[in-house]
Amino acid sequence: MNEMKQEKISGTPTEVDEATTAAAAEVIDEPRPSRRRWLRPFLLLIVPALLLLGGGYYWLESGDSVSTDNAAVKQDIVSVSSQVNGPVIAVNVKNGDVVKRGQILFRIDPEPFRVALEQAEGQLAAARLQTTQLRTQASGTGADITGAAANLQIKQNALSRQSALLKRGFTTRADYEDALNEVRTAETALADARARAANAHAALAPGEQPSIAQAQAAVDKAKLDLSRTEIRAPMDGTIANADRLQVGQMAVQGVGMISLVHNQNAWVEANFKEKDVGKMLPGQRAKIEIDAYPGQEFKAHVQSIGAGTGSEFAIIPAQNANGNWVKVTQRVPVRIAFDGSPSKPMIAGLSSDVTVYFDK
């Protein structure tokens, strides 16, 4: 056959090229050993084997853990508000600032509270002055009693002399009655002096005077209000929602003005299906994957399991006693705590995937 091909190749150059091309085509068209003879049986065996192995592994592992993607990072968030009313005169922070506990966040105009403090201090001084006057008056009533008692003794002695003279006939009955009247007048004066002393001492309470205590409380309240014109951070954290706080804005007591996010206390709240929490216990190890940090896993553990499903704590709880009840799988909030401090910064609200292992 090669000889025949060799004969066909001989001739002009053009004919030789055509003959060469035809010969190559014949060689390509010659049948070769097909790979399908061994590839098809291999696929028929290995693919089902892989599926069986994967299914078995999933079946074995699925009973030892449970996962959910209904989870999010949580952090303590405090809405900082003013405890006094007044216009804001200074803002010392902005969004993203990291602050320490006790650091001043913003200030309220303190002048009205300074005036209130001065008024309270004036009332305290007046109360102390009044108390001093009462004590002086009370001490003076003692001298009045002594004088009234001495006068009564003199009048009684005079009455005794008039009585003796009347019996002997050396005085008139009119003089005796005048002496008797003076004794009664002296007794009345002594009674009045004792009553004034009792009233003066009654106005003085044992210990601290009530008027002084009340005035002192007013001073303390004024000082407290003045100190509250400087709003300080209640904890370490990061500032948020500071854009709405502007100089000149009226701060209203109890209305949140700025938010503070705790930096060191992050956790994940995972909402597992009710059928998945039957074997779940506090302390079991867990794994957290956060969408913001793909490919990174955070070691964690179950800290606590919610005491009720999410629907029980809703503003309008479900009413399953009506006639149109449809069974819906409930979710139970589970608190997942990080083991140690996370290697990445945590942001409240980040979506997460949580896996809890039942190997404890």
Side-chain angles (χ1 to χ4, degrees):
M1 184 176 183
N2 292 334
E3 294 177 355
M4 295 175 63
K5 291 178 182 179
Q6 200 68 23
E7 293 176 356
K8 292 180 180 180
I9 292 174
S10 61
T12 63
T14 302
E15 292 176 349
V16 171
D17 291 341
E18 293 177 352
T20 302
T21 301
E26 290 179 3
V27 171
I28 293 173
D29 290 340
E30 289 181 356
R32 295 180 301 175
S34 177
R35 296 181 179 179
R36 295 181 180 179
R37 294 179 180 178
W38 59 269
L39 181 60
R40 181 176 296 177
F42 175 77
L43 293 177
L44 291 175
L45 293 175
I46 195 64
V47 172
L50 291 175
L51 292 176
L52 288 174
L53 289 175
Y57 176 80
Y58 177 79
W59 180 79
L60 292 174
E61 291 294 325
S62 62
D64 295 334
S65 65
V66 63
S67 302
T68 183
D69 59 358
N70 188 347
V73 175
K74 297 292 183 179
Q75 289 176 289
D76 292 328
I77 301 177
V78 176
S79 180
V80 182
S81 61
S82 170
Q83 293 179 290
V84 293
N85 300 328
V88 177
I89 61 172
V91 178
N92 301 339
V93 293
K94 61 183 182 299
N95 282 339
D97 286 352
V98 178
V99 298
K100 297 293 184 180
R101 180 179 180 181
Q103 182 175 337
I104 297 176
L105 304 180
F106 60 95
R107 288 184 173 90
I108 296 174
D109 185 9
E111 292 306 319
F113 301 97
R114 287 199 181 100
V115 173
L117 176 58
E118 292 173 356
Q119 291 177 345
E121 289 175 342
Q123 293 175 357
L124 177 60
R128 288 173 175 169
L129 177 60
Q130 183 183 10
T131 301
T132 301
Q133 292 174 344
L134 290 174
R135 287 173 179 169
T136 302
Q137 182 180 357
S139 62
T141 56
D144 293 340
I145 294 174
T146 302
N151 183 53
L152 176 60
Q153 185 64 41
I154 293 172
K155 299 302 182 182
Q156 288 177 343
N157 293 336
L159 178 60
S160 297
R161 289 193 299 270
Q162 289 294 328
S163 177
L165 291 173
L166 181 61
K167 291 179 180 179
R168 297 170 61 184
F170 292 111
T171 185
T172 62
R173 189 157 188 92
D175 292 338
Y176 171 79
E177 291 178 354
D178 289 340
L180 179 61
N181 186 50
E182 289 179 0
V183 169
R184 292 174 178 173
T185 302
E187 290 175 347
T188 302
L190 178 59
D192 292 341
R194 287 173 175 171
R196 289 193 302 270
N199 290 333
H201 285 89
L204 294 173
E208 189 175 13
Q209 191 70 4
S211 58
I212 294 179
Q214 184 176 4
Q216 183 64 56
V219 170
D220 295 340
K221 175 66 166 54
K223 288 181 179 179
L224 181 61
D225 290 342
L226 180 60
S227 67
R228 286 175 173 174
T229 59
E230 294 181 344
I231 290 79
R232 301 177 180 270
M235 63 182 183
D236 298 347
T238 303
I239 298 297
N241 296 329
D243 294 338
R244 61 187 180 184
L245 181 61
Q246 301 295 331
V247 174
Q249 182 180 356
M250 180 61 68
V252 180
Q253 182 177 357
V255 177
M257 306 292 293
I258 199 171
S259 297
L260 185 60
V261 182
H262 201 296
N263 289 335
Q264 304 300 324
N265 189 21
W267 72 93
V268 172
E269 184 177 285
N271 300 295
F272 285 94
K273 295 180 180 179
E274 54 186 325
K275 64 180 181 180
D276 294 335
V277 298
K279 297 189 295 182
M280 198 173 294
L281 296 171
Q284 290 174 334
R285 65 185 183 96
K287 177 183 69 175
I288 299 174
E289 298 174 285
I290 299 177
D291 293 357
Y293 308 116
Q296 187 166 1
E297 298 179 356
F298 300 89
K299 293 182 179 180
H301 62 275
V302 177
Q303 184 174 7
S304 63
I305 302 173
T309 63
S311 62
E312 287 298 312
F313 297 102
I315 297 177
I316 303 178
Q319 299 296 326
N320 294 336
N322 56 38
N324 299 322
W325 175 72
V326 177
K327 184 176 182 179
V328 178
T329 301
Q330 300 297 308
R331 295 270 180 172
V332 179
V334 178
R335 183 163 177 155
I336 308 296
F338 290 93
D339 291 344
S341 298
S343 58
K344 295 289 186 178
M346 294 294 107
I347 301 175
L350 290 179
S351 298
S352 308
D353 291 343
V354 175
T355 302
V356 175
Y357 300 94
F358 302 141
D359 54 358
K360 181 180 177 181

